[in-house]
Each structure stands twice: as structure tokens, then as C-alpha cells.
Amino acid sequence: MTFFFDEAITGLPNVYSMTYLQNEGSFMAGALAALVTTSTELKGANPEKVIGIIGGMDIPIINDFKAGYKQGAKYVDPAITVVASYVGDFANAPKGKELALAQYNSQKVDIAFNVAGGAGLGLLEAGNSLGKYSIGVDSNQNGLYPGSILTSMGRGLHDLACRWCGH
């Protein structure tokens, strides 16, 4: 079975395509990121109110993820800064890791959101290696780095909420 996100594919029995309102789930991801970055109880959080997002490409659908993420963060705390970077494709995990390391190390990000497909796996790895936090996308990526990936934004708000609360 092949999974295809963000566009409907019909007529292929071995392809499961999934579309959803990525800005709504991303709003929830941004709200969670804002709660993490302002937390005084999480060991990987820092006192800066800066969160990150790494997109595969600077295209409308990825910017819709970014808009929802930023709105969710600002809903929790208007003083939050959102740092965004783009890999340039959806496959280059080393570039995703490089961008994430720059956000975590130089731009004071303590939690970042992966909206870069396979390239975002580098972000998840970087967060784990530094003891920082990340949010996965499209499928449940929590198991890749337990304790570092706090949740994954998937088919909608229910997935995000259920992964966070453990249902």
C-alpha cells in the first residue's frame, strides 16, 4: 500500500490518498509548541519564546501549514516568534537536519514542526540529538524518537489530540 498526502489520487487500488485541512491541525501544533516553549517544567525548553517550522518547499500548501502553526502559537502567546526554513525539496533529510540544527543552536528554537516529508526526518533526528523537541507530520512519527517527538499532526485535530493525550 502506498500513502499519498495532500492530494486525491483515484483509480489506483494500492494507493491511499489523504487530504485534510492542514491549517487546522497546524493551529493545534502551534498551540502545543507555544505551551512547550513557555514551559518551565520541560527540561528541553529554554526561556526564549521561539519555535520553528521546517517546510519542504516554499509553496502554498506548506505555507498553509505555516500559517496555521503561527496562528496557533500566537493564540497562546502573542509574543512567540516563529522561525521558518525551507529545504527546497521533500527528500533531503541531511539538509533538513542542517536547517534544524541552525534553528535549535543559533536561533534559540526549542521545538520545531516538520512539514517537509522525508526531508523532515532530519529535523526529527536533530531535535533528538540535542535534547530538543519536535512535532511530526502526516503519520504518527512519535515512535522514531520517543520523548523528543511530542506529537504528530495527521489526519486532523482528533489525531493530534489523541496522540498527545494517549488515546
Side-chain angles (χ1 to χ4, degrees), residues 65 108 133 151:
F65 277 95
K108 301 181 181 178
Y133 299 110
T151 193

Side-chain angles (χ1 to χ4, degrees), residues 35-144:
L35 292 170
V36 168
T37 199
T38 58
S39 172
T40 57
E41 299 173 17
L42 293 171
K43 67 179 180 175
N46 63 44
E48 308 299 326
K49 293 182 179 184
V50 182
I51 62 174
I53 184 169
I54 295 183
M57 298 177 72
D58 187 359
I59 57 176
I61 196 163
I62 298 303
N63 288 324
D64 196 33
F65 277 95
K66 183 175 101 175
Y69 185 66
K70 186 175 182 179
Q71 289 170 351
K74 298 272 185 191
Y75 180 81
V76 171
D77 187 337
I80 300 268
T81 298
V82 179
V83 175
S85 304
Y86 298 93
V87 175
D89 63 50
F90 292 93
N92 191 342
K95 178 75 179 237
K97 183 175 181 178
E98 175 188 327
L99 292 171
L101 289 171
Q103 284 190 6
Y104 288 128
N105 290 326
S106 302
Q107 297 174 299
K108 301 181 181 178
V109 165
D110 52 13
I111 183 165
F113 183 26
N114 165 23
V115 290
L121 296 176
L123 177 161
L124 304 177
E125 180 184 350
N128 185 64
S129 70
L130 295 173
K132 301 293 183 180
Y133 299 110
S134 58
I135 298 171
V137 74
D138 290 337
S139 62
N140 187 350
Q141 297 178 315
N142 306 15
L144 296 173

Side-chain angles (χ1 to χ4, degrees), residues 3-34:
F3 297 94
F4 193 81
F5 296 95
D6 303 328
E7 192 171 324
I9 303 291
T10 59
L12 300 173
N14 64 334
V15 175
Y16 178 80
S17 62
M18 179 185 309
T19 60
Y20 49 89
L21 297 173
Q22 60 275 348
N23 60 340
E24 289 182 0
S26 295
F27 180 96
M28 297 295 291
L32 173 63

